[in-house]
Amino acid sequence: MAIKESLRPGGRSARVQTSVHQAVKDLLGEVERSELTIPAVAARAGVTPSTIYRRWGTLQDLLADVAVERLRPDGEPADTGSARGDLDAWLEQFVDEMASAPGRAMTRDVLACTAGAAPQCSAFTRRQIETIAARAAARGEPAVDIDAVMDHVVAPIVYRIMFDESPPGDAYRRALLDRVRPAGR
Amino acid sequence: MAIKESLRPGGRSARVQTSVHQAVKDLLGEVERSELTIPAVAARAGVTPSTIYRRWGTLQDLLADVAVERLRPDGEPADTGSARGDLDAWLEQFVDEMASAPGRAMTRDVLACTAGAAPQCSAFTRRQIETIAARAAARGEPAVDIDAVMDHVVAPIVYRIMFDESPPGDAYRRALLDRVRPAGR
DNA sequence: TCGCTAACGCAAAATATTTGCTTTTGTAGG
DNA sequence: CCTACAAAAGCAAATATTTTGCGTTAGCGA
């Protein structure tokens, strides 16, 4: 079932959405994944299970909905004065978040959902890089190839995080960046 | 629950495993995903649901188990006479399989499983490339950088398939390959 | 062939999901 | 501000699923 986007924006609906999301976030940190059931979320949120079933359909879709919210960047990437510095700083934080156990779990939730959650997350990432690219252009630096960063920096890192056990280290991260944008530029 | 690896190798256990796997494959092509339940699989396979619950734990783990089997390559990559040709031919088939609706679904199933199914699939891919690399070495061609192929060819393709809607086209695929191994070499 | 025990079957109990109907409450229009 | 409408929530009964205890089957080694 697709996640409903256009529901009543204010009042009770909004309160239910908030309390259900909060309940999921709370329980994710308190109980095992196998105990994270819709009835449990409903009880914690103070709503009836049928409300969640009707609005989100399945636990997977609810988890994906929450994960997308949490993966949404809270602000712009830090401005370090150069494109390389911006990319380096942003990437370090990105890797830390994505490689952490909660980050991996959220990414799994997002991928498991068939209703367009993954493209949304990919778009978040791209937008951050676009911001960095725009800043570089404003400074008169050589253009940042956004697709190259997505394909040859972001993709290998995400692939390794999701398909291998070992998290990418600092050296690996810098090497990828060097490949699309030589150090110091 | 982890997928059990060491169970009695022959006889009834093996028959149950086979019929359950076959039932899953059949149903994947016949019914909607939401109707693909453990009781349905059990009925089709001619076993009781509790057998499946005890052996695989959850539907997700069962689906991942089946998906790993289906994603396992049936043979070695074709020998075209050159590393570039081998990579090109192998990659075309890889993209076709992974970008198809069943391929995407299987990959999702594999990623959703927490019990090491994803590294296994990644290893399948790497091994195919290793075979191509070994052949290239035997021919006296310049070395094939296996990590580079994984990071800069496989990863971007898989990332695009899983995180974007649009499947990677032929031109894109060749461009990635050109980047790690110039055309014709 | 015999004994041991892993794996299966069965059925009851516990949980989770769906569904029809009622009630509450945002929202738009007067 | 009030009223009518409909979306969303609550409630509870019906259904479906998952879990569990226990008896049975059948691989496997001696």
Side-chain angles (χ1 to χ4, degrees), chain A residues 8 17 27 46 50 60 63 67 78 80 90 95 99 116 135 158-159:
Chain A
R8 291 182 167 181
Q17 156 128 350
L27 290 174
S50 65
Q60 275 190 348
L63 289 173
T80 65
W90 170 78
V95 171
R135 273 207 294 253
V158 173
Y159 182 90

Side-chain angles (χ1 to χ4, degrees), chain B residues 8-12 15 37 50 53-54:
Chain B
R8 292 183 166 178
R12 187 166 58 165
R15 277 197 303 280
T37 63
S50 65
Y53 285 115
R54 282 208 240 256

Side-chain angles (χ1 to χ4, degrees), chain B residues 20 23-24 27-28 31-45 47 49 52-53 58-60 62-63:
Chain B
V20 168
V24 169
L27 290 174
L28 275 172
V31 303
E32 292 299 309
R33 191 73 165 218
S34 60
E35 300 177 64
L36 189 80
T37 63
I38 286 186
V41 173
R44 168 66 76 113
V47 302
I52 297 180
Y53 285 115
T58 68
L59 179 63
Q60 275 189 346
L62 172 56
L63 290 174

Side-chain angles (χ1 to χ4, degrees), chain B residues 2-167:
Chain B
I3 298 165
K4 289 182 188 172
E5 275 312 321
S6 61
L7 34 84
R8 292 183 166 178
R12 187 166 58 165
S13 286
R15 277 197 303 280
V16 166
Q17 157 128 350
T18 302
S19 66
V20 168
H21 274 216
Q22 191 56 50
V24 169
K25 289 181 214 164
D26 290 349
L27 290 174
L28 275 172
E30 293 174 16
V31 303
E32 292 299 309
R33 191 73 165 218
S34 60
E35 300 177 64
L36 189 80
T37 63
I38 286 186
V41 173
R44 168 66 76 113
V47 302
T48 56
S50 65
T51 294
I52 297 180
Y53 285 115
R54 282 208 240 256
R55 196 151 149 189
W56 283 276
T58 68
L59 179 63
Q60 275 189 346
D61 286 337
L62 172 56
L63 290 174
D65 194 29
V66 173
V68 169
E69 290 290 299
R70 302 184 93 179
L71 289 171
R72 186 192 307 275
D74 6 278
E76 298 203 333
D79 189 338
T80 65
S82 74
R84 168 67 193 216
D86 288 2
L87 286 169
D88 214 22
W90 170 79
L91 192 58
E92 181 176 7
Q93 188 188 325
F94 179 79
V95 171
D96 283 352
E97 273 190 34
M98 296 290 283
S100 70
R104 286 175 54 127
M106 288 188 289
T107 306
R108 268 200 302 273
D109 291 339
V110 159
L111 286 172
C113 174
T114 51
Q120 218 177 325
C121 289
S122 180
F124 292 158
T125 302
R126 171 173 279 268
R127 212 163 301 138
Q128 296 290 90
I129 298 167
E130 281 168 356
T131 301
I132 292 174
R135 272 207 295 253
R139 287 192 203 103
E141 293 184 273
V144 172
D145 185 339
I146 296 168
D147 285 321
V149 174
M150 291 298 290
D151 282 342
H152 300 288
V153 179
V154 172
I157 284 172
V158 173
Y159 183 90
R160 287 208 174 209
I161 290 172
M162 297 312 291
F163 284 92
D164 291 345
E165 271 110 357
S166 54

